[in-house]
Amino acid sequence: RKFVRQSLTMVCDALDDLGLPYTKSQANFVMFDTGKPVREFMGAMRQKGVAVGRPFAPYDTWCRVSMGR
């Protein structure tokens, strides 16, 4: 749980720095607005070796990122 909290803080701090809107979370994930179609974002992240969550209609620019393994 400590690792998840630390990870959430790190991700939320980065999203704040980037000025991207995101959901406040009490779980092991955060959703944020990528500013572009999420499938496009998913492809770009995959090229960098990062797996991100699936699209959640109707939020076609929002992405879910889970903390942990």
Side-chain angles (χ1 to χ4, degrees):
R1 288 185 222 185
K2 182 179 177 182
F3 174 75
V4 169
R5 287 279 139 228
Q6 290 171 334
S7 299
L8 277 171
T9 298
M10 181 179 66
V11 169
C12 291
D13 287 349
L15 292 169
D16 285 335
D17 289 347
L18 293 168
L20 296 174
Y22 61 93
T23 60
K24 301 291 183 191
S25 179
Q26 297 299 315
N28 69 332
F29 67 90
V30 65
M31 290 189 70
F32 67 97
D33 189 348
T34 67
K36 62 174 78 177
V38 73
R39 291 197 185 277
E40 182 182 321
F41 179 77
M42 290 169 66
M45 294 304 290
R46 190 177 310 113
Q47 288 179 348
K48 296 181 183 296
V50 178
V52 296
R54 64 179 173 77
F56 288 88
Y59 304 102
D60 60 348
T61 63
W62 284 71
C63 179
R64 174 182 164 149
V65 177
S66 297
M67 309 302 131
R69 297 181 181 174

